Amino acid sequence: MRVPLSWLREYVDFELGVERLVELFTLHSQEIDGVYRLGVTAGEVVVGEVVEFGPHPNADRLSVAKVDLGGREVQIVAGAPNPYPGARVPVVLPGSVMADGTKLKKAKLRGLESYGMMMSERELGISADHGGILLLDETHEPGRPVADYFPVGETVIDIDVTPNRPDLWGMIGVARELAAILRTEFRVPEIPYEAGGEPTGAFGLRVEAEDLCPRYDLRRVSGLAPGLEAPLWMRRRIHAAGMRPINAVVDATNYVMLETGQPIHAFDAAKVHGGIVARRGRPNEKITLLDGTTRTLDGEMLVIADEERGLVIAGVMGAEDAEVSAGTTDALIEVANFAGDNILRTSQRLGLRTDASGRFERGLDPNMADLAMGRVVGLLARNPGGDVAPDTLSHYPEPVQPWRVPLRLPRAELLLGMPVGAEEAASRLGALGCEVEADGQELAATVPTFRRDLRREVDLVEEVGRLIGLDQVPEELPGVPQPGGLTPDQQRRRLLRRLLADLGLSEAITYTFGPRRWTDDLNAQGGAGAVRIKNPLSAENGNLRASILPGLLDAAARNKTFGLRGGAIFEVGRVFAPDPPSRALQGAALKFRMTGSVDALGPDAEPNKDSLMGVREEESVGVVLAGTIRPAGWNAPPVRAGFFEAKGLVERLVPGATFAPDAPSFLHPGRSAVVRVGEVKAGWVGELHPETAEKFGLDGWPVAAFELDPGVCRPDVEPRFEPFVSVPAIARDLAVVVERAVPVGEMAASVQGIGGLLAEVRVFDVYEGDQVPEGHKSVALGFVFQGERTLTDEEVDAEMARITAHLDERFAGRVRS
Amino acid sequence: MAVNGRIEELKNAALSAVRGAESTAALEDARVRYLGRSAELTEIKKSIGTLSPDERKEVGRSANLASREIEGALEAKTAQLSAGEREERLRAEAVDVTLPGVPHPRGNLHPSQRIIDEVVDFFVGLGYGVAEGPEAETDYYNFTALGIPPGHPARTMQDTFFLDDGLVLRTHTSPVQVRTMLSQPPPVYVVCPGRTYRRDSDPTHTPMFHQIEGLAVDRGLTLGHLKGTLAAMARHVFGDDVTVRLRPSYFQFTEPSVELDVSCFRCGGSDPNCKVCKGAGWLEMLGAGMVDPGVLEEAGVDPEEYTGFAFGMGPDRMAMAKYGIPDLRLFFEGDLRFLRQF
Ligand SMILES: [Zn+2]
C-alpha cells in the first residue's frame, strides 16, 4: 500500500521525519517496504507567466522563453514546444533538488542562459506524463509558490500490509493506525453534495446469488460533463499512490478506493439494459474483459449483469461493453461486498488477479459501502459536475453489527509478559475504533466492523501489546522442567556426519527431487517406481529420490566440469518410496490426509496411521568418492577413488559388517558388495559400473560409492573393558599359496576361528606373479599368539602347524618356503 | 725393574694412541690393542703368578694402575668422540622443516547444518527435545491443523508441491509441532529442524530450504519468555554483543505474532555501507509468536490452562549472514569449491 504523506496529512496531523515515521510503523504496526520521493524535494517552484516563446537560435529541438515570475523576468530554455505567450507554467528555481537527487543549477544551453526550468507533470510528481510543460489555469497567480496550490514534492511510504489487515488498504485506515500509534486525533473531512439528479430507481437491482453477494448498493449520477479529466490534486494523489489516472469518473472511483479500501465500479447508465442483476455464471457463458481477453465463466463465479448480458466478473474485472468512458454523461455507481473466498477462487480459476480482487479476497467490511458511496458521488458532483440521484438501491439483507469481545487484563499480562493497565488498554483499543467498557480487570470492547480480524480476546491482546510497544516486553527464560537431548537416532546421525567430516569428506546437501533418469539410469531396483510430484517446477524434476546416490553423482559431475581433480562428498538425508495403502484403506487414507481422522482404522488407529501416509520415508547416508580424493604429497602418492577406499570407510562406520558380492547392477560387478550386519542388509558399496559413470558424465574418473542405513552405523561403539595379559605376545608370519578365486577375507576369518593361543590374524600382502603358479596367489598372513604365561617356541610351532593344516584342508593352501 | 719399565712404556704408548684416536672405532682399536685379551699388558697380568712374591706385589700394582689410567683415558676420549659423532649424525639427519607434514585433510560440514547443529545444541542445553517428522506430509498436518483449511487465502501464499492425493511436500516444519502436541501432553519444549519445500525458484529462493521451528507449551509461558529465549539463542549463534527487537507481524498459527530482528553482528548499526545488514543495523531473523489458542485446542490442549510460544527461522539465511555467503543457490549444488570453505 503506497501512502503519499501529503494525503495522509488530510486525516491526521504529525510532526515526524519520514525515518521516524517508518520506524514507528515498523515497531508498532506493519513493515515498510520502501520510501519513494516524487517531484521536487527541496527548493522553490513558483508560478510563471510566459511572456515570449520562440525557437532557440542554436538548436532545432529547443525553445527559449521569457517568463514573468511575478515582477521578475527570466530566460528559460525548454525542451517542450507547448507553452505560449500568456500560458501559466510551474518554474523550478536554481538550487532546488529533484526527487532523484539532482540539484538544479543556472545553466547555459547552447549558448543561452537558462534560469531554472519549466516543469512537466512527471517532473512535478503529478503523473507519468512527460509530453510537455504542465499548463496551469488562470487561478494560479504568477510569482506565487506552486505549493500554495498543490504539493510540488511528495514522500511515499510503501506499507507491506499483512493479510489480516484489509483496513490498512485505504488511507483512512492508515491514518487511524498512525493516530493510534501517536496517541493523537484523526478525522475524515466530509465531502458535501446535494442530491437531485435522475433517480437510480429507473433501473432495477436484483441479487440472485445472495450467498456470494452480501451487499450491493447502486446510485446514479447523471448530467456528467463529458470528456473531463480529474482535477490535478486528485490525479496527483492517484499517481503518487501508484495508480494511473484515466478519466474523471474512473479516477473518482479509484480515489475513493484508495481512501477507503473499498473497490467501486462505475457503469455507463446509457449502456445498461433494464437493471443490474447479480447472479452466478451460466453454462459456457463468455465475457470479453477490459484487457481484451474473453473468459468462460462457471456456475460458481459471480457475474454482475444487466437483463441481457454479463457486464462484470464481480470483484475481478469489467467487460468493455458497459464501462464508463470519456463520453459518459450518466453513471451507475456500484459499491458492493462480495464473498472473499469466492472471489479468490474465481481469480485463481481465471488466472486473473486485479487490485480489486486482491482487496475483496481478504474479506471487506460491508458497512464501508455507505462511506465509500457518499464520498464517490460527492466527488463526482464536484467534478465532472454531475447530479447525484436522491435514491440508492441497496441489497443488504443481513447487516453486519459490531461485536463484543471481552478482555481480561490478567490474561493480557500473562500472554504479553508485561504489566497492562486498564486505562491504557481501554484507550489503546479506543484509538482503534473500539468502544470499551471497563469493569476492574475485565474490559469489553465493541469492535467496529472494519476490524474483522478482532474476534477473540487474544486478538485484542495483540493490539494492546503492539501499541504499548513490544520493546517493553522483558527478556526472560522459562524454567524448562525436562532434560533435553537428541534421541539415540539423532545422536547417531550427528556423530556419523562429524565422523565423515573428520575423515576428510565434505558434507553436501542436494535436492531430494530430481529427474526421471535418477531412477532410469540406476536401473531402479524392484520397479517400485518413484514418488512423483504432481506440479514440479520443471517437467523433468518430478521424482522424489529413492537413493542419495544420483544427487551426489550429479554433484561430482559438476565438480568435474568445474575442473576439480576429484573429491569425497557425503550426504545424510531422506529417501522416498511409494507405499500405497491397500485398496480397502484408500478412502480411509484420503480422509486421514485431509482431516487427520484415523477413525476408520478402529482401536489400533494411532500406531498404524503411518500406513495411510502412502510414502515410505527413510534416513540414508550416501558417500561418493570420485577422481583423486587426496592429491599426491611430496612424500606420498595420490589416493584415487576405489573399492577399498570406500570399503574402509564402511568398515569404520559399521564395525563387524560383512561383505558379499551380489550388489546392485549400477555397480561394477566385480568390485562391489552388499553390506550386511548379521543377517540384516545395511546397504551396498562398490565402484560405479562404467556405463553408469558415463551416463552421469563421470567417465574418465574412478568413482566408488556406498549407501547405508544410518540405523546400523556405529560411529561410536560403546566401549567395554576386556582384561589383558601382560606377558609378551609372539608374532609369526606365513605365506600361503592358494587359488586366485579363494576369498582372502574368508581365509583370515576362518583361521581366526581355530582359537587356541591365536589372538590376532592380519593380511599383510597378496601377491601374484613370479614364483607363484599361474591362477594362484600368495597370501601373507601375520599372526599374534598370546598365552597366560610366556610361550615357548615349541608351543607356538604347534599352533602354526595347526594353522597350516587348517589352511591346507579348507583352502588347499600350500605354505611357501 | 724391567717389567715395570715395560709397563710404563705400554701405558705411555696406550695413552698416546688414545689421545691420537680420531674416531670411536680407532679408540676401540686402541682398547683392544692395549687392554684386550691378548694385549701385552694383559699377558703381563696373567704372568704375575710366575713371579716372586715381592715382584708379584709391585708388578701387580703398577699393571693395575696402568690399566686404570688407560681405561680412564679411554672413557674420557670415548665421551668426547661420541658426543661429536652424535652431533655429526644429527646434523646429517636434519630435514627441511618447511616441507608439509603428512596430510590429515579436514573434511567439511555443510554451512546450513553447522547453523542447525549450533541452534539445536543451544536448545538442547535449555532442556528442549528435538522432533522430526515426514517431509512428505499430509494436507491436514501441513495446513488445516494450523488454521489454514482448504480455500484459505494463506494457502496461496505458500506455493506447494503436491504429491499423491492429500499429500504435499511440507511447506514448513510446523506440522512436526502439531504431531508433537498431539502425541504428548504439556509441558512440551521441542525444536524441529528439517528440510522444507516451496514451489519457488529465483535468485533468492530455492525450492528446497531448511527451517528450524520451535515450540514451548507450558503453564505461564509469556511473550517475555519467547523474547528472552530467542535473544539468548541469537547471542549463542552470532556473539554475545547482539541485541534483539520484536516487531508485530502476522502468522496464521500465532497470536500475538512477532518478527524478531537481531542487531547486526558485524557493524552494530554503525556502518551505512555494511555488507551484512545493508546499513539497516538489523537482520530479520525469525518469525514467532504466542501459539494461537485455536491451534492449542485443535491439539487437545486447554488454552486457559496452558500457553505457549512458537518460532521459526531459516538456517540457510542465517548461514548466509554469518558466513557472508552471497547466493542461496550455492547451498544445494554440491560444489566442492563452496563446501570446502566450511
Ligand atoms: Zn551491519
Side-chain angles (χ1 to χ4, degrees), chain B residues 219-236:
Chain B
R219 291 189 178 88
L221 289 182
T222 74
L223 194 60
H225 291 131
L226 164 69
K227 191 177 182 182
T229 300
L230 295 177
M233 191 275 298
R235 285 191 271 273
H236 176 76

Side-chain angles (χ1 to χ4, degrees), chain A residues 718-730:
Chain A
E718 172 95 340
R720 199 181 171 79
F721 176 76
E722 295 282 352
F724 51 85
V725 192
S726 49
V727 292
I730 292 184

Side-chain angles (χ1 to χ4, degrees), chain A residues 428-446:
Chain A
R428 294 295 187 177
L429 293 173
L432 295 174
C434 297
E435 286 183 22
V436 186
E437 302 149 53
D439 180 9
Q441 295 293 291
E442 313 249 319
L443 306 186
T446 302

Side-chain angles (χ1 to χ4, degrees), chain B residues 264-269 271 274-279 281:
Chain B
C264 179
F265 57 87
R266 182 64 46 78
C267 77
D271 177 3
C274 175
K275 283 222 170 68
V276 174
C277 67
K278 314 239 169 357

Side-chain angles (χ1 to χ4, degrees), chain A residues 162-237:
Chain A
T162 51
N164 59 327
R165 293 296 304 276
D167 62 301
L168 296 181
W169 277 103
M171 303 299 161
I172 293 175
V174 173
R176 182 187 298 110
E177 187 81 352
L178 179 59
I181 294 169
L182 297 176
R183 311 195 89 165
T184 181
E185 297 298 315
F186 97 110
R187 63 194 167 257
V188 181
E190 294 211 359
I191 303 176
Y193 61 90
E194 278 175 27
E198 298 290 328
T200 317
F203 293 86
L205 171 63
R206 195 165 75 249
V207 175
E208 292 177 357
E210 290 205 340
D211 56 329
L212 304 184
C213 182
R215 179 166 189 178
Y216 196 99
D217 283 19
L218 198 64
R219 195 164 189 184
R220 186 174 177 185
V221 184
S222 55
L224 297 162
L228 292 185
E229 57 178 7
L232 189 146
W233 64 266
M234 185 189 284
R235 285 189 286 124
R236 200 189 146 274
R237 285 184 174 181

Side-chain angles (χ1 to χ4, degrees), chain A residues 348 462 506 512 534-535 617, chain B residues 108 135 156 162 197 199:
Chain A
Q348 282 175 344
E462 176 170 69
S506 299
T512 36
K534 279 184 179 166
N535 58 335
E617 194 171 323
Chain B
N108 314 89
E135 292 171 22
T156 57
F162 295 99
Y197 302 86
R199 202 174 173 283

